[in-house]
Structures are given as structure tokens and as C-alpha cells.
């Protein structure tokens, strides 16, 4: 059973690139159980892409399975939509 685990962002957020929480909780997970994890990103203000890398850590920030590859996401901004203001 996984308990007290988190998904920790391994890449450093730079201004103008994808912004996200540094850590999100992983719910208690039984062996073989499938779960969904959700991360909210603030995208760059210009078209382009950014990548974030993630690994599982315990509540003290110690890496779990440090030699295994983690997860990653790539966010692609293709068009900036202007907001209309009154």
C-alpha cells in the first residue's frame, strides 16, 4: 500500500514557462490499483512548449525508486487568445 506519497516536480520552474505546484499528493494506493493524478498548469504567455519532470517522494521529500524514470508532461501553447475587456 502506498501511503504518504507525493509526486514532486523535479524541474525548476522558470518565469515565463509552465508554472505548477512543486508537489501533489498521491492518494492511498493498493497494489495493482489504478489512480488518476491531476496537475494544474499556468501556461507560458507566448506560443511554445515546456516540459516538466516528476518523481515520487515520501512526506520528507526522499525519492522513492530513485533509479527509475519518472513521469513527464509536455505542454504546447499554439495560440494565445486575447481576452475582451469591457
Amino acid at each position: 500500500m502506498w501511503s504518504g506519497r507525493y509526486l514532486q516536480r523535479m524541474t525548476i520552474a522558470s518565469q515565463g514557462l509552465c508554472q505548477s505546484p512543486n508537489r501533489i499528493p498521491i492518494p492511498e494506493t493498493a497494489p495493482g490499483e489504478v489512480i488518476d493524478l491531476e496537475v494544474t498548469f499556468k501556461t507560458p504567455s507566448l506560443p511554445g512548449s515546456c516540459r516538466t519532470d516528476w518523481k515520487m517522494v515520501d512526506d520528507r521529500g526522499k525519492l522513492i525508486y530513485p533509479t527509475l524514470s519518472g513521469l513527464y508532461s509536455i505542454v504546447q501553447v499554439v495560440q494565445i487568445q486575447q481576452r475582451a475587456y469591457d
Side-chain angles (χ1 to χ4, degrees), residues 8-80:
Q8 174 86 33
R9 184 171 172 163
M10 297 285 109
T11 48
I12 298 171
S14 297
Q15 189 172 2
L17 297 179
C18 287
Q19 302 294 312
S20 70
N22 288 327
R23 181 186 279 190
I24 61 167
I26 298 174
E28 277 196 6
T29 308
E33 183 179 2
V34 175
I35 61 168
D36 291 321
L37 299 174
E38 182 177 309
V39 178
T40 300
F41 291 96
K42 180 178 178 186
T43 61
S45 59
L46 297 171
S49 64
C50 60
R51 174 180 167 142
T52 58
D53 294 274
W54 304 81
K55 283 196 166 192
M56 189 184 337
V57 298
D58 65 15
D59 56 355
R60 296 170 304 193
K62 181 180 176 186
L63 285 172
I64 309 296
Y65 311 117
T67 60
L68 296 179
S69 297
L71 302 173
Y72 69 90
S73 66
I74 297 175
V75 175
Q76 180 74 35
V77 178
V78 294
Q79 181 179 10
I80 304 299

